[in-house]
Amino acid sequence: MKTLNGIRGITLVELMTTLSVAALTLTIGVPSFMGVRERMQRSQVMMELNSAFTQARSEAARRGVPIRVCASADSKNCLVGDNPDWTSGWIVFADTDNDLAVDSAEPIVYAARFENARFSLTPAASLADGVSFNSSGFPSQRGSFEYCDSSESRTLTLGFVGRVDLTASGTGCSS
């Protein structure tokens, strides 16, 4: 009997085994990855908001001018009006003339932006238009933000002296 020494390849059994293992891995791994992605987004949003308030407080005390945190869709201007959308992001800027708007002479200190947000971020009525920190670093308003996604909700509370507290508050919402 004659054999061919240079021919190599895979058998049908090997191919089917490899495809079965790949399909099983994807079936188990993809839903698990979505949960990881949601948890990462939740942590990022809450830490970004916490960081914005902490930085605003620090900058106000350091610069000696009012610093404002407000919702922003374009990282350049504040959103105003009835219940502005905080899920797009927010900015921190030096509001030297206290007009609650970004002017050309007022630098933007910090900006957070979120594309394709799959969460809701609802401020208390007192914080809907944003928070100003006076030149001593104290906030002009206090209240809370409610973060909510498909599996968990959290509350970020801004206290009287500018301290930020983060608490898990529930098992999600239907947004």
Side-chain angles (χ1 to χ4, degrees), residues 43-53 90 110-112 114:
S43 294
Q44 179 188 7
V45 169
M46 297 312 288
M47 290 303 112
E48 289 280 347
L49 190 55
N50 185 1
S51 178
F53 287 138
W90 45 86
Y110 179 83
F114 299 99

Side-chain angles (χ1 to χ4, degrees), residues 58-120:
S58 171
E59 287 292 316
R62 185 177 73 81
R63 294 176 186 225
V65 298
I67 301 289
R68 183 152 180 84
V69 180
C70 63
S72 176
D74 61 2
S75 299
K76 296 176 185 171
N77 299 299
C78 289
L79 294 174
V80 293
D82 293 337
N83 204 12
D85 182 18
W86 283 76
T87 60
S88 299
W90 45 86
I91 56 174
V92 177
F93 68 98
D95 192 13
T96 55
D97 58 3
N98 267 334
D99 66 351
L100 308 179
V102 181
D103 301 323
S104 60
E106 297 173 332
I108 294 176
V109 177
Y110 179 83
R113 186 155 164 82
F114 299 99
E115 300 289 333
N116 303 319
R118 295 178 186 222
F119 61 90
S120 66

Side-chain angles (χ1 to χ4, degrees), residues 10-56:
I10 60 171
T11 65
L12 183 59
V13 172
E14 291 171 332
L15 177 64
M16 294 308 290
T17 302
T18 303
L19 289 176
S20 297
V21 169
L24 183 63
T25 302
L26 288 174
T27 302
I28 293 171
V30 169
S32 176
F33 178 71
M34 296 306 280
V36 168
R37 183 174 167 224
E38 191 173 75
R39 285 189 301 276
M40 286 174 51
Q41 177 179 274
R42 183 180 315 123
S43 294
Q44 179 188 7
V45 169
M46 297 312 288
M47 290 303 112
E48 289 280 347
L49 190 55
N50 185 1
S51 178
F53 287 138
T54 303
Q55 189 166 10

